[in-house]
Amino acid sequence: MPHLSRILYGTFVAATLFFLVAPVIAIIPMSFSSGEFFIYPLPGFSLGWYGEILSDARWQRAFVNSLVIGVSSAAIATVLGTLAALSLVHMRSIFSHIAFGLLLLPMLVPVVIVSVSLFYFYSKLGLVGTRTGLILGHATLGLPFVVVTVLATLRNYNFTLDRAALSLGAGRLRTFLTVTLPLIAPGVLSGAVFAFAVSLDEVVVTLFLASPEHTTLPREIFSGIRKSISPAVVAAATVTIGLSCCLLGLLALIRR
């Protein structure tokens, strides 16, 4: 009977994974098609669509923008999220729960509402249509992931080590840099990877805040689907999938 339960459980897990992953995997072969339409079976094998996105200035600009904005927003979200998580751990009042809920709002509220709010707020500051505004917008979405990840790491952290360092004459900044940060580094790095992944995949905030010269890879894919259905869009989507898989592998290495 336990053996049958394991089989049923494994079958359920496999079916769920297939349901989630199959649509993503199905588009990957189309990026190697020699035809100009999304059809199965493929008329032939070709890398021409990858050559098109590599040689097209629009795709090049979108890829560079995605990397620059992703790294910048992840850095901001990581610094602020780590400091916020440390503050929440040391808070011993009801306000810590309120602050934690407020920090999670960008994750809980629909992204369209967040985008509209950021648009009206940034328009007052003159940040709409600027790279700075787009980076701050992506950092806002990535911040909750950093807070949750670092908080999970701090739950098992022994703060006696900090008190020992302070008692031996180290200042708070030196204690944080030499004791706390190295021990919670896996959680901080995991949060940074999650923040970068959120930025890499974000399109709604980009539609509201970005100017044409600051378009990102997801927005270019979205625009390509609306204007003309070309396998070049699938090739760009496959590149994004590859980057996401690399991030998953990086998370596995960090956990080890």
Side-chain angles (χ1 to χ4, degrees):
M1 201 65 181
H3 183 65
L4 179 61
S5 299
R6 286 196 297 269
I7 294 176
L8 292 176
Y9 177 74
T11 303
F12 174 76
V13 172
T16 303
L17 289 176
F18 177 79
F19 177 78
L20 295 174
V21 177
V24 178
I25 296 178
I27 69 169
I28 294 178
M30 293 183 184
S31 65
F32 299 99
S33 174
S34 61
E36 297 183 357
F37 302 98
F38 299 156
I39 57 174
Y40 274 115
L42 301 179
F45 178 85
S46 174
L47 296 175
W49 300 114
Y50 288 94
E52 179 176 330
I53 64 174
L54 289 175
S55 59
D56 193 325
R58 293 184 302 111
W59 291 108
Q60 293 176 1
R61 182 174 63 249
F63 182 74
V64 172
N65 284 336
S66 292
L67 291 181
V68 172
I69 293 170
V71 172
S72 302
S73 62
I76 295 173
T78 301
V79 173
L80 296 180
T82 301
L83 295 177
L86 288 169
S87 300
L88 289 173
V89 167
H90 291 292
M91 291 177 66
R92 302 297 180 182
S93 65
I94 191 175
F95 295 105
S96 63
H97 301 287
I98 297 175
F100 181 65
L102 292 175
L103 288 170
L104 291 187
L105 277 180
M107 181 191 296
L108 303 176
V109 176
V111 67
V112 174
I113 297 178
V114 176
S115 302
V116 173
S117 302
L118 290 176
F119 175 80
Y120 281 106
F121 179 68
Y122 286 174
S123 63
K124 302 294 184 181
L125 303 177
L127 293 175
V128 174
T130 66
R131 178 171 291 179
T132 301
L134 192 56
I135 290 173
L136 293 177
H138 284 206
T140 301
L141 296 180
L143 180 64
F145 293 89
V146 179
V147 172
V148 171
T149 306
V150 177
L151 271 178
T153 304
L154 288 172
R155 296 302 180 189
N156 299 319
Y157 181 73
N158 185 5
F159 286 97
T160 304
L161 299 174
D162 290 357
R163 290 192 288 271
L166 292 172
S167 67
L168 293 174
R172 292 193 177 274
L173 179 60
R174 186 177 180 183
T175 299
F176 173 74
L177 294 177
T178 59
V179 179
T180 309
L181 186 59
L183 293 176
I184 66 172
V188 175
L189 293 176
S190 298
V193 172
F194 278 119
F196 179 79
V198 169
S199 175
L200 185 65
D201 186 56
E202 178 53 43
V203 65
V204 180
V205 168
T206 307
L207 289 173
F208 277 86
L209 299 181
S211 61
E213 61 268 19
H214 297 143
T215 184
T216 59
L217 198 57
R219 179 179 174 179
E220 195 63 41
I221 293 173
F222 181 77
S223 300
I225 293 175
R226 293 184 60 190
K227 295 177 182 178
S228 61
I229 300 178
S230 168
V233 175
V234 182
T238 303
V239 171
T240 305
I241 294 171
L243 290 174
S244 300
C245 292
C246 291
L247 292 177
L248 288 175
L250 182 58
L251 281 175
L253 290 176
I254 292 174
R255 291 184 61 185
R256 293 181 61 183

